[in-house]
Amino acid sequence: MPKVAEVAIGIADAEGLDAVSMRRVAAALGYTTMSLYRYVPAKEQLIEVMADLAAGEPPAPGSGD
């Protein structure tokens, strides 16, 4: 699913978050819209996955960060 989020982030970076849609992301990946729903059940979850990917991994416990 990281590729799905990466494509969605690319669309959001270029055109804003409103430009991100399941149809748009699916088309950019060469998928049908319905097939994208196998990976992400709705746009709200796609936005959550995008945020998680953009935030990166949390620091390890005790690392001082």
Side-chain angles (χ1 to χ4, degrees):
M1 179 155 13
K3 184 66 177 170
V4 172
E6 288 172 5
V7 168
I9 289 170
I11 292 168
D13 283 347
E15 301 175 39
L17 193 55
D18 287 341
V20 176
S21 68
M22 298 296 275
R23 179 181 303 209
R24 181 78 185 276
V25 173
L29 290 165
Y31 299 162
T32 64
T33 304
M34 291 309 294
S35 68
L36 187 60
Y37 284 102
R38 292 182 196 160
Y39 301 97
V40 184
K43 181 179 176 180
E44 291 78 19
Q45 285 77 22
L46 176 58
I47 301 298
E48 289 176 14
V49 172
M50 291 167 60
D52 288 346
L53 182 63
E57 292 292 320
S63 67
D65 291 338

